[in-house]
Amino acid sequence: MDLTTAHKLIELNNRFYAEHAASFSATRSSPWEGWGRAAELLTQLNWGGEHKGDGRHPFVLDLACGNLRFERFLLDAFPDLDLRFNAIDACPELAKDASQIPGTTFFKMDVLGSLLDDWTCLGALGHATPNRHLATAGVPACDLTACFGFMHHVPSFAMRACMLDMLVDRTALGGNVIISFWQFMHDERLARKALAADSVARESTSNVMFPLDENDHFLGWQSDPSPLRYCHHFDESEIDALVASVGTRVREIARYSADGGSGTLNRYLILERIA
């Protein structure tokens, strides 16, 4: 994928969330099933327990926090921990209630746009050095780093690998990274919608965002079949490759499927930073 296409896809998604923030947030009120399993695994790992009584707050980084459902979920799941949250999103309209969630600092940041600005100077997606925008913005290394419903909006494998590297970089030694990878083409209804939106996009004389990479698609929103969002479907081999891309810095703790009627809509990955 070339830089021009990547820029256009990021702009398309940013425009979608800015225009549909209210209706999108209204459909995102309950925790995902996969979060419950993640909380169980974190409890088994005694996540946050090492800070009880030492006066230190467990810090959580939530990249692409949306309407901060995950923050509310963690507060309910770990009521004995005095949690602190660093929540990041490019769409402040989604995170408008951040000030009402105890211990939350919200950062408005277009992480993908910043990455592409760096890569533009280097001239090619495949020759980028890992970016440290989160560090320079004052986001500290955290005990838990989470990224849900976002990696499928990241264009190109190179950029997705760089995003994972950034998440690991912002995780303290011994801390955990939790990521979801959307596998929407496994869902018959969503697959039909994606193929329909792809067809509309190809027929549009104004669309210059082709060719896309393998497993890249467009999706409309609710009753609108227009290609309003760029989304990438993840297969297992790509998740394997992403884990391999961060090498010996992490140890894989768990990988499982959850969410949706089939229980397979998202593939979850939990890592521990060990170096």
Side-chain angles (χ1 to χ4, degrees), residues 217-234:
H217 297 278
F218 291 108
L219 277 169
W221 176 241
Q222 296 181 334
S223 60
D224 189 347
S226 304
L228 300 177
R229 293 175 289 164
Y230 157 76
C231 299
H232 177 78
H233 168 85
F234 288 90

Side-chain angles (χ1 to χ4, degrees), residues 1 32 36 54 66 75 80 86 89 91 118 133 138 143 182 203 205 209 218 233 249 254 261 275:
M1 180 181 296
W32 283 349
D54 69 359
L75 288 171
D80 295 334
N86 294 304
D89 206 286
C91 181
D118 287 352
H133 282 287
D143 303 287
W182 202 18
E203 293 170 1
T205 56
M209 291 184 279
F218 291 108
H233 168 85
R249 302 174 67 198

